[in-house]
């Protein structure tokens, strides 16, 4: 059977489903092909949403166990019901994925179930059916990177997917890779009682993030009970009756040591996923990192085939994929949208959260750009003290000559929410003075953003 569309989107993740909905809003006849049993992609099914559900539940457990007593709230007989916690997470996932199904129905996007294969620029095969289309948007996302010597069985040696579904709290949980996914999953299991060790090849965690913030995050996580083995590589894993024995070596070479674990999480990154798409036959070019090569309009080298999200270059983040989804639909409709890649926020949902947008101090130094720093600690913010959340600070980096905000970094409770103000400021080309002169409600945590902006010109008031 052949059905004709204006746009066929391959992949129903945040990139693909947003592209499909936006294209339908713009009056196009749209199909979205998704091979998973539910819509929402990695993000809704095995990524952002289930991880945040478990982070929320485990944080409540920690609060009940350790933090509420200081507020005069007494809890006796505290217990963990992991089954209920996991069932809640699954329910949250289902509600979200069904939400996308509803949006497809509302916008008359056809969900074609199955794996798509390109049969040229205008034809997409799904099983025995063929979809003919004027434009194809590839949004097939990413998959985990495995380590050559370590086989993932999703029980003892797990990917993030297995780490989201453990049936009991491991005594010793080892995370390979000190990026955001490893630290978030490590936080979940640490809060529920596991001893957590993070093994990282580099001599720092969260590569790419402002080093000042990364150093503080590591210190805070250590206080929470994390152990870090930096500058260390995992060279092998042996499965035994008593768990997994990991062989470690210093990254620069040296004596081997053993680290015992009950569960090992491999989280060393993600790579673009294009298996079975038929890219070669269609003549679609990849770059050196096997990402689909696109121009500024998300157009591949084959006319009519576009690509967005994790499968192309740029940060592998759901909101980046979503914005590209909207933009590509508008481009196909003849509009001229623009994404400012310097104003894409990134958040780590540890406690406290870490959020950043724009350049780090290291980026600016490397580019030879003169900048001024404004920093304000949450210990000096009234609301943070009232809440009992005084850890961390806001840091704003502004151009020394023009005062334009070039980067902002927050470590602190609710940093992920607060970074939105700074992303908006950067989108509008704001100066630190613009933020400093914006009235911020009192008493709120974002007053620390205003004070950090004031601190750029060395005139913070509350410190
Ligand atoms: C544990 C974890 C936590 C994360 N947390 C966050 C977070 O807090 N914030 C954030 O911004 N990002 C987070 N991410 C990253 C985020 O999930 C991705 O950046 C985002 O999902 C990318 O969206 P996408 O649409 O490009 O691809 P995906 O969400 O990966 O969707 C691609 C879809 O395409 C389908 N597909 C692939 N090939 C075919 C084919 N041939 N035919 C049909 N369908 C196909 C796949 O089944 C998949 O559903 C997290 C990721 C993980 C793993």
């Amino acid at each position: 059977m052949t059905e004709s569309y204006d746009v066929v989107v391959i992949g129903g993740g945040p990139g693909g489903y947003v592209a499909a909905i936006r294209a339908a809003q713009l009056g196009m006849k749209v199909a979205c092909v998704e091979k998973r049993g539910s819509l929402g992609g990695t993000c809704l099914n095995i990524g952002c949403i289930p991880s945040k559900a478990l982070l929320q539940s485990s944080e409540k457990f920690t609060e009940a166990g350790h933090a509420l007593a200081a507020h005069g709230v007494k809890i006796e007989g505290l217990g963990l019901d992991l089954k209920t916690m996991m069932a809640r997470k699954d329910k949250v996932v289902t509600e979200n994925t069904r939400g996308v199904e509803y949006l497809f129905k509302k916008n008359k996007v056809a969900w074609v179930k199955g794996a798509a294969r390109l049969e040229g620029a205008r034809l997409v095969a799904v099983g025995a059916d063929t979809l003919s289309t004027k434009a194809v948007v590839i949004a097939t996302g990413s998959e985990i990177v495995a380590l050559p010597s370590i086989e993932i069985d999703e029980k003892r040696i797990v990917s993030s997917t297995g780490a989201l579904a453990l049936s009991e709290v491991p005594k010793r949980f080892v995370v390979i890779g000190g990026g955001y996914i490893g630290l978030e999953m490590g936080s979940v299991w640490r809060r529920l009682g596991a001893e957590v060790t993070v093994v990282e090849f580099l001599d720092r965690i969260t590569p790419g993030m402002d080093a000042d913030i990364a150093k503080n995050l590591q210190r805070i996580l250590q206080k929470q009970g994390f152990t870090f083995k930096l500058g260390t590589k995992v060279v092998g894993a042996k499965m035994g009756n008593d768990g997994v024995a990991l062989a470690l070596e210093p990254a620069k070479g040296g004596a081997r040591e053993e680290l015992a674990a009950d569960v090992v999480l491999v989280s060393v990154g993600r790579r673009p996923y294009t298996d079975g798409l038929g890219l070669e036959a269609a003549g679609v070019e990849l770059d050196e990192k096997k990402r689909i090569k696109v121009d500024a309009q998300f157009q591949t080298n084959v006319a009519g085939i576009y690509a967005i999200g994790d499968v192309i270059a740029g940060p592998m983040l759901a909101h980046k994929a979503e914005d590209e989804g909207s933009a590509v639909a508008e481009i196909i409709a003849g509009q001229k949208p623009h994404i400012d890649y310097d104003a894409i926020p990134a958040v780590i949902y540890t406690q406290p959260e870490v959020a950043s947008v724009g350049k780090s101090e290291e980026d600016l130094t490397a580019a030879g750009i003169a900048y001024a720093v404004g920093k304000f600690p949450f210990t000096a913010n009234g609301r943070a003290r009232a809440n009992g959340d005084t850890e961390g600070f806001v840091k704003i980096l502004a151009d020394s000559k023009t005062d334009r905000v070039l980067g902002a970094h927050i470590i602190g409770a609710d940093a992920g929410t607060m970074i939105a103000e700074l992303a908006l400021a950067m989108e509008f080309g704001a100066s630190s003075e613009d933020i400093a002169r914006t009235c911020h409600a009192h008493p709120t945590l974002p007053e620390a953003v205003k004070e950090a902006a004031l601190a750029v010109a060395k005139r913070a008031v509350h410190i």
Side-chain angles (χ1 to χ4, degrees):
M1 194 182 80
T2 301
E3 185 85 32
S4 297
Y5 294 94
D6 296 315
V7 181
V8 170
V9 180
I10 305 178
Y17 83 71
V18 170
I21 291 171
R22 185 73 190 115
Q25 283 177 343
L26 291 165
M28 291 178 253
K29 185 179 172 197
V30 186
C32 179
V33 190
E34 171 54 62
K35 65 178 181 174
R36 195 190 295 271
S38 53
L39 293 169
T42 303
C43 173
L44 269 58
N45 290 281
I46 51 165
C48 325
I49 296 301
S51 59
K52 266 79 255 179
L54 288 185
L55 280 159
Q56 180 75 3
S57 298
S58 59
E59 182 55 22
K60 289 201 180 298
F61 182 69
T62 301
E63 251 181 50
H66 302 291
L68 293 184
H71 291 264
V73 180
K74 279 192 183 167
I75 293 186
E76 273 159 30
L78 177 72
L80 174 66
D81 177 357
L82 186 60
K83 230 171 146 188
T84 300
M85 198 179 276
M86 288 291 171
R88 175 187 176 276
K89 177 236 358 169
D90 293 339
K91 185 164 172 272
V92 170
V93 166
T94 306
E95 283 167 359
N96 276 270
T97 59
R98 294 239 171 98
V100 179
E101 270 181 58
Y102 159 78
L103 293 174
F104 271 16
K105 280 195 192 115
K106 180 180 160 200
N107 288 284
K108 301 194 172 49
V109 173
W111 172 13
V112 178
K113 296 177 187 171
R117 193 167 31 83
L118 294 169
E119 303 224 309
R122 317 268 176 226
L123 284 182
V124 175
V126 184
D129 296 334
T130 306
L131 317 179
S132 90
T133 180
K134 293 177 191 152
V136 175
V137 177
I138 301 172
T140 48
S142 59
E143 63 174 348
I144 63 141
V145 171
L147 284 171
S149 50
I150 298 176
E151 203 180 313
I152 291 173
D153 66 0
E154 295 295 13
K155 287 193 175 73
R156 294 283 193 80
I157 302 183
V158 298
S159 70
S160 52
T161 307
L164 287 165
L166 298 181
S167 55
E168 58 185 67
V169 180
K171 190 169 170 319
R172 299 157 302 177
F173 186 67
V174 173
V175 178
I176 307 177
Y180 81 92
I181 292 177
L183 298 179
E184 288 183 6
M185 295 319 304
S187 291
V188 166
W189 295 107
R190 173 73 204 113
R191 292 168 191 172
L192 299 181
E195 292 162 15
V196 175
T197 305
V198 178
V199 183
E200 166 60 51
F201 183 84
L202 300 174
D203 57 6
R204 55 163 291 172
I205 58 168
T206 57
M209 177 191 286
D210 191 277
D212 184 16
I213 298 268
K215 212 172 65 206
N216 274 280
L217 176 62
Q218 187 184 334
R219 183 183 53 75
I220 292 168
L221 292 176
Q222 272 162 347
K223 263 195 346 202
Q224 293 174 9
F226 274 67
T227 303
F228 289 94
K229 283 185 171 294
L230 303 182
T232 304
K233 62 182 173 191
V234 178
V235 290
K238 236 190 322 193
M239 216 59 108
N241 289 339
D242 189 28
V244 185
L246 288 176
L248 310 182
E249 273 178 18
K252 293 182 185 130
R256 194 173 269 208
E257 63 170 314
E258 203 171 87
L259 180 64
D262 298 298
V263 174
V264 175
L265 164 63
V266 180
S267 63
V268 293
R270 297 184 63 80
R271 64 160 164 245
Y273 179 77
T274 55
D275 289 4
L277 253 184
L279 288 183
E280 240 171 69
V284 175
E285 280 177 16
L286 303 180
D287 69 12
E288 70 296 345
K289 291 187 174 162
K290 305 258 185 266
R291 302 172 295 201
I292 296 179
K293 230 165 142 176
V294 291
D295 64 14
Q297 274 68 52
F298 308 105
Q299 168 80 62
T300 67
N301 61 308
V302 179
I305 302 185
Y306 299 80
I308 55 164
D310 278 10
V311 82
I312 66 167
M316 286 183 165
L317 292 170
H319 42 282
K320 176 258 193 191
E322 287 188 45
D323 283 8
E324 289 178 346
S326 283
V328 78
E330 289 166 5
I331 286 167
I332 292 168
Q335 298 182 3
K336 292 192 167 47
H338 171 73
I339 294 176
D340 181 353
Y341 284 92
D342 267 336
I344 293 181
V347 181
I348 306 178
Y349 297 86
T350 43
Q351 186 57 265
E353 290 179 355
V354 174
S356 61
V357 60
K359 305 286 187 222
S360 65
E361 289 204 55
E362 294 72 36
D363 293 335
L364 294 172
T365 306
I369 298 169
Y371 63 95
V373 184
K375 224 168 153 177
F376 190 81
F378 285 106
T379 43
N381 173 276
R383 183 62 183 277
R385 280 210 296 265
N387 290 357
D389 282 328
T390 50
E391 213 133 32
F393 55 87
V394 179
K395 177 160 93 172
I396 294 179
L397 308 174
D399 189 294
S400 289
K401 282 194 210 98
T402 64
D403 192 34
R404 185 178 178 141
V405 177
L406 301 174
H409 307 271
I410 308 176
I411 178 164
D414 258 343
T417 306
M418 278 186 277
I419 203 70
E421 170 184 5
L422 290 150
L424 185 70
M426 286 185 67
E427 275 282 352
F428 279 80
S431 63
S432 74
E433 186 174 356
D434 290 326
I435 299 172
R437 290 193 183 278
T438 301
C439 191
H440 286 66
H442 176 76
T444 59
L445 299 178
E447 285 176 286
V449 172
K450 174 182 171 131
E451 289 280 354
L454 283 165
V456 170
K458 301 198 173 15
R459 56 195 178 101
V461 172
H462 290 90
I463 195 157

